Amino acid sequence: MKINYEQELNPAQLKAVTTVNGPLLVIAGAGSGKTRTIVYRLAYLMEHGIDPSNILLLTFTRKAAAEMLKRVEELLGQDIIGICGGTFHSFAFSMLKKFANVLGWQEGFSIIDTSDALEIIRQAKNELNLTKDKKFPKHQTIYEIISRSRNKELPLEQIIKNQYYHLSLFTNDILEISNYYKNFKAKHFLVDYDDLLFFLEQLLNQDENVRFLFQQKFQFVMVDEYQDTNKIQGRLIKLLAGDEGNVMAVGDDAQSIYAFRGATIENILNFPKLFPNAQIIKLEQNYRSTQPILSLANHVLSLAKEKYPKKLFSSKDEGIKPELYYTNSDFSQAQLVTKKIQELSLKYPYREIAVLFRAGYQSYALEMELGKVGLKFQKFGGQKFSEAAHIKDIIAFLRIVSNASDVLAWTRALSNIKGVGPKTCQKLYQYFIQGETSKFKRICAKNNALKCILESLDELRQKQLSPQTLLEEIIKIYTPIMENKFMDDLPKRMAGVEQLIQIASTYEHLEDFLADLTLEPTNEEKRDDNRIVLSTIHSAKGLEWSCVLIIDLIEDKFPSKYALEDPVALEEERRLFYVACTRAKEYLALFVPTTTYNKYFDSFEPVLPSPFITEIKETLVNVYKENFFGDCNPYNTQKNESESLNPKTLSPATKKTAVNNNRTGAYCSHKIFGQGKIIAHIPPNKYKVHFPKCGLKTVIKDFLEFE
């Protein structure tokens, strides 16, 4: 029985499904039934006599392609044989195998996986004698840098400066390794994951007959998630389809959030230029969210500079407006979010409640708060802070100070010191417990670093310090270890350490701080699927929950410091906020701390709301403000509209922070330390700077030259 497409699809979906000739761009808004549209179009083509072998379906995962084809089979009630469906890379591999001789590979070629690539890089390091420096980037990091340079089609030096600045000291060495890697592959006819697409482009460009053959073979090309394609993938679509080919690209410019991987929004924005006769169809009916949530999302998107205008709508007209909470601080935010989760759990299962954030470390305070009240959670897009290796190391040092009889802490902490292994740690602990001081001193005499660290820990044991002060002293001890051990992602780990210091500032007693840090769910709990979800927004794309709470909506956190200085990056942050909002089906809450802790002054300082918050029309949200007693009261935006949402009338103290004059993220130079990147401003006249040659330093402004 034939499918009744008019009955199964809405008007926009029907038009997309039945438009089969010529270039077609489908702008599929969030929750608008994108996959359903692709599946029904495949079925429509087959019902209208198109040979399956003439259809090419390109997706970003093999799983996505397989699921679509399975749904087509279920829809048609028959097996489908012949459709070429898969990822760009799997398609490229299959085509290159057939035409290897055209590229001069008479004996064929071998494709290498990540482990093979890492082995070549290891060989390169050995042959180039680059294995002595312990701070030298790991093989995996070097491979990532090479891959990002290839995918973004940018010089390797620029990738290091923009995304791996802390490794800029090794730029020339990484270049040497990259050249070795490239030459090794060419010599042995090896092709890696990234090479596949470039060699396919070379094949299609250099041989007109092969290109014609491809275009005749694949007369109907369909591309999923087009907004996530990179430059080379965009060019390949043009080569495969030709100027007037039957190509259908499906995507949403508003959900283009993977520029750091090489994706470019320009592909989808320039589709009409690439295919001048292209039709554009917009899927705007949303099947996920209530209209109040969509109204907010529409407003956020309406302020984007470059976009395909769209207005999402839903048949779910009822529902509460998104709630906007101004909390007294980033710490009270964690408490209020926890309370809100407990309140929501009376109506929704925990697995239907998600807390989203810009960066993984931003959930640390919330993780501790959830642990205190015994709420289970799972985290995506970053480790739980209590599971991160550098946090575990720091906690071990704290535990030694708190309880010198903690044998596990001795092993974890001291084994970070060069020349000290688990056996030495055990001996030191036994000699200490048994009072054999001469043997204890004898081991320390052989290792000066060990001796200095133990002396420092002993001094700290004799003092009555607050958890925050003690933690800061421990971090001074641990920072050189961290720089040696985790140079590859040092900035990310330092951000986590800063967050840990902020958390410590709320405790009076070390024992309480350590107890809350080490609260862990049991193994049985970890197997429980009914847990709250904590996730970065990037990891949440494509998912949905009944309730979504977005935290840390303040400048420098969302959008990030980097994005505030780059208009293009700021636009991607706006799209990221849009993606976060459209994950919610029934309830959406936005949390804005009005102050954050400044460890340098040991006080809370006013901060600016995210520009995405100050732009929101007061009619789109219900606004609440936290009072002195930790409760939230409705805020009358009609009466005090300018105070809540208009940044022009903020207090003088908050205005002061609005001016981005602290140079965070900028570059500078020092006569001795060389070039560096500013990490933080320490009022009134100091800066924390990361110098690739010397690590983190705090420097007076007068000794820096700003670029």
Side-chain angles (χ1 to χ4, degrees), residues 45-111:
L45 289 172
M46 299 196 52
E47 277 198 338
H48 285 75
I50 302 300
D51 188 332
S53 65
N54 292 143
I55 300 172
L56 172 62
L57 172 64
L58 295 173
T59 63
F60 273 84
T61 64
R62 284 179 293 180
K63 181 181 177 183
E67 288 179 354
M68 287 181 190
L69 295 177
K70 181 181 178 183
R71 286 176 60 177
V72 174
E73 289 181 337
E74 292 171 351
L75 198 59
L76 294 173
Q78 64 183 55
D79 292 339
I80 296 175
I81 300 173
I83 289 182
C84 183
T87 66
F88 278 87
H89 295 84
S90 63
F91 170 71
F93 177 59
S94 63
M95 294 301 104
L96 289 174
K97 278 199 305 181
K98 291 182 180 179
F99 297 95
N101 62 313
V102 179
L103 290 174
W105 296 331
Q106 303 304 328
E107 301 299 324
F109 67 95
S110 297
I111 186 168

Side-chain angles (χ1 to χ4, degrees), residues 454-471:
L454 285 171
E455 286 175 348
S456 298
L457 292 175
D458 209 29
E459 286 180 20
L460 295 175
R461 289 177 61 222
Q462 312 307 320
K463 299 176 181 178
Q464 295 295 320
L465 301 176
S466 69
Q468 179 193 346
T469 304
L470 178 58
L471 179 58

Side-chain angles (χ1 to χ4, degrees), residues 254-413:
Q255 297 188 67
S256 179
I257 59 173
Y258 293 117
F260 66 93
R261 293 181 185 170
T264 173
I265 192 174
E266 298 303 318
N267 281 351
I268 194 168
L269 292 178
N270 292 333
F271 190 88
K273 296 178 183 177
L274 202 61
F275 299 96
N277 297 320
Q279 295 187 61
I280 300 175
I281 297 172
K282 299 176 186 176
L283 307 184
E284 297 173 294
Q285 183 170 356
N286 179 283
Y287 295 93
R288 175 187 299 154
S289 308
T290 60
Q291 191 57 50
I293 293 173
L294 296 179
S295 296
L296 174 60
N298 287 334
H299 177 70
V300 170
L301 190 57
S302 70
L303 298 172
K305 292 181 179 178
E306 288 189 291
K307 61 182 180 294
Y308 289 98
K310 66 175 87 59
K311 192 172 183 180
L312 300 181
F313 65 92
S314 171
S315 60
K316 304 173 186 176
D317 292 327
E318 298 182 358
I320 62 171
K321 291 182 182 180
E323 294 179 344
L324 173 59
Y325 289 89
Y326 288 93
T327 68
N328 292 334
S329 72
D330 44 354
F331 293 116
S332 65
Q333 170 186 248
Q335 296 167 353
L336 287 171
V337 169
T338 301
K339 287 181 183 177
K340 177 56 69 174
I341 290 172
Q342 291 174 315
E343 177 188 321
L344 292 169
S345 68
L346 299 176
K347 182 179 179 181
Y348 300 97
Y350 286 122
R351 64 178 174 272
E352 281 296 317
I353 303 172
V355 181
L356 305 183
F357 32 85
R358 177 66 181 79
Y361 73 87
Q362 290 173 302
S363 66
Y364 283 7
L366 178 60
E367 290 176 42
M368 289 191 67
E369 200 64 35
L370 293 172
K372 288 180 188 177
V373 298
L375 289 179
K376 300 172 286 183
F377 64 89
Q378 51 188 329
K379 185 174 180 180
F380 302 99
Q383 285 183 307
K384 294 180 182 180
F385 78 99
S386 58
E387 294 177 352
H390 65 300
I391 299 295
K392 282 186 171 183
D393 289 345
I394 291 169
I395 293 172
F397 281 108
L398 287 172
R399 284 165 54 185
I400 291 176
V401 175
S402 173
N403 174 19
S405 300
D406 189 337
V407 62
L408 296 178
W410 279 70
T411 302
R412 174 89 202 194

